[in-house]
């Protein structure tokens, strides 16, 4: 049977919360073999442990048969090198929100992964067009056939956190992205059980161009003493039926991630409304990063 997305094997670079989640839904719902790579053996171990817990939870709640859980887990393998992903049909990068880091990774993708594979980034704010430039071979013209073929396979595939729970994927086309890459990426996201929304390649796309200023304003309210942490979050939980308040949400996203996205918005637009809160910067300086570090605006027992 022909598969619309044509992805018979997936690579995922980054075994953090996002990469692990992407590997999980790809193996469980799309039923695609996954090669997971991270330079940190500790992170790989932590990621696999999370996958095991998620599958066990689904089985215990009757959402999944034990045999289906075993099959999904067997589809996920770890690899020690990027070269081991050479023959994947798509690779998804899920690392920190840093343009230079992502460019370096995509240059490696271009050199080490088959030339017809889709190269996807899970970035939540950084320009896909800037990332796509990194895969054009040295000496090749961006407008020549070789340059267009290389950059045309780069796409933004923004999964939301936590990936196993959140139903949305944001699909972002670089200026260079081919229609075939977009169509296959959409089909793959849908095979993972997701709904797809599209956005132009602007700072923050749709999601974070709206969400991050909201979170940043909430932090500024706390910084200025307009209201307490609890009252800010209570206002949005009880007054606007949000499942959690903006300060708790920031903790769950990660304050370092919030700051990186806010800086991308500010730098990309030069609009003062995107200037990061001083308190947010200081929290990150102190390594109070939210739930993942045990302390942010709230304290967590990790």
């Amino acid at each position: 049977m022909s598969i619309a997305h044509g992805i018979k094997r997936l690579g995922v670079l980054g075994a953090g919360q996002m990469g692990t989640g992407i590997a999980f839904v790809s193996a469980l719902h799309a039923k695609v073999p996954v090669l997971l790579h991270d330079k940190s053996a500790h992170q790989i171990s932590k990621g696999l442990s999370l996958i095991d817990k998620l599958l066990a939870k689904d089985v215990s709640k009757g959402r999944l048969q034990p045999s289906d859980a075993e099959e999904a887990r067997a589809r996920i393998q770890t690899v020690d090198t990027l070269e081991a992903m050479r023959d994947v049909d798509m690779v998804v990068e899920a690392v920190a929100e840093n343009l230079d880091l992502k460019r370096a990774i995509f240059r490696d993708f271009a050199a080490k992964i088959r030339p017809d594979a889709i190269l996807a980034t899970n970035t939540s704010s950084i320009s896909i067009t800037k990332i796509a430039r990194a895969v054009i071979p040295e000496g090749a013209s961006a407008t020549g056939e070789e340059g267009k073929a290389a950059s045309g396979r780069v796409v933004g595939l923004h999964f939301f956190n936590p990936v196993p729970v959140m139903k949305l994927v944001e699909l972002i086309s670089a200026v260079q992205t081919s229609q075939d890459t977009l169509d296959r990426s959409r089909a793959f996201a849908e095979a993972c059980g997701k709904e797809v929304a599209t956005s132009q390649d602007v700072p923050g796309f749709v999601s974070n161009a709206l969400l991050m200023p909201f979170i940043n304003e909430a932090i500024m309210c706390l910084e200025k003493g307009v209201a307490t942490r609890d009252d800010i979050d209570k206002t949005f939980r009880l007054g606007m039926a949000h499942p959690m308040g903006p300060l708790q949400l920031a903790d769950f996203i990660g304050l370092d991630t919030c700051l990186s996205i806010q800086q991308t918005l500010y730098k990309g637009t030069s609009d003062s409304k995107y200037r990061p809160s001083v308190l947010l910067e200081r929290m990150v300086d102190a390594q109070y990063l939210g739930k993942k570090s045990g302390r942010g605006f709230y304290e967590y027992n990790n």
Side-chain angles (χ1 to χ4, degrees), residues 35-268:
L35 301 180
L36 181 63
H37 174 63
D38 195 293
K39 64 182 180 181
S40 166
H42 172 72
Q43 194 62 59
I44 285 283
S45 176
K46 188 176 174 183
L48 292 178
S49 176
L50 175 60
I51 288 170
D52 290 339
K53 287 177 183 176
L54 290 170
L55 289 170
K57 183 178 179 181
D58 281 350
V59 170
S60 70
K61 290 187 176 291
R63 295 192 292 250
L64 197 61
Q65 291 299 314
S67 59
D68 292 332
E70 289 172 8
E71 288 174 6
R73 181 61 183 83
R75 291 187 189 105
I76 301 172
Q77 299 179 21
T78 62
V79 293
D80 295 330
T81 65
L82 189 57
E83 287 84 355
M85 293 187 185
R86 166 73 190 173
D87 293 324
V88 298
D89 301 291
M90 171 190 274
V91 62
V92 182
E93 164 270 310
V95 303
E97 289 290 278
N98 179 293
L99 176 59
D100 289 339
L101 173 61
K102 290 181 188 292
R103 279 176 168 165
I105 287 169
F106 272 73
R107 278 193 290 270
D108 272 352
F109 284 170
K112 297 174 182 177
I113 292 176
R114 53 189 270 190
D116 59 341
I118 294 174
L119 310 179
T121 173
N122 186 57
T123 182
S124 56
S125 63
I126 294 172
S127 168
I128 313 301
T129 300
K130 289 181 179 178
I131 294 171
R133 279 171 46 194
V135 306
I136 298 172
E138 187 175 353
S141 167
T143 57
E145 289 305 313
E146 186 180 13
K148 287 193 293 184
S151 58
R153 60 196 181 113
V154 176
V155 68
L157 207 56
H158 175 209
F159 288 80
F160 287 74
N161 188 31
V163 179
V165 176
M166 303 302 281
K167 298 295 186 184
L168 187 69
V169 166
E170 204 169 24
L171 180 67
I172 308 100
S173 173
V175 169
Q176 309 98 313
T177 307
S178 73
Q179 190 61 50
D180 179 67
T181 296
L182 285 172
D183 292 343
R184 292 178 63 201
S185 298
R186 174 185 287 274
F188 180 73
E190 290 171 345
C192 290
K194 305 302 183 184
E195 296 283 339
V196 177
T198 60
S199 172
Q200 291 187 11
D201 187 17
V202 297
F205 317 132
V206 171
S207 56
N208 282 321
L210 297 174
L211 176 62
M212 285 303 154
F214 161 62
I215 288 175
N216 197 52
E217 284 295 328
I219 298 171
M220 285 183 172
C221 281
L222 181 64
E223 181 182 327
K224 294 172 183 176
V226 173
T228 65
R229 174 200 71 183
D230 291 346
D231 281 347
I232 290 169
D233 278 359
K234 185 190 297 182
T235 297
F236 285 90
R237 284 199 320 272
L238 303 184
M240 298 166 191
H242 288 203
M244 66 178 71
L247 300 177
Q248 186 182 15
L249 177 57
D251 275 358
F252 275 63
I253 293 170
L255 301 189
D256 53 340
T257 300
C258 290
L259 179 58
S260 292
I261 295 170
Q262 200 66 30
Q263 288 170 333
T264 296
L265 291 169
Y266 188 36
K267 183 177 179 181

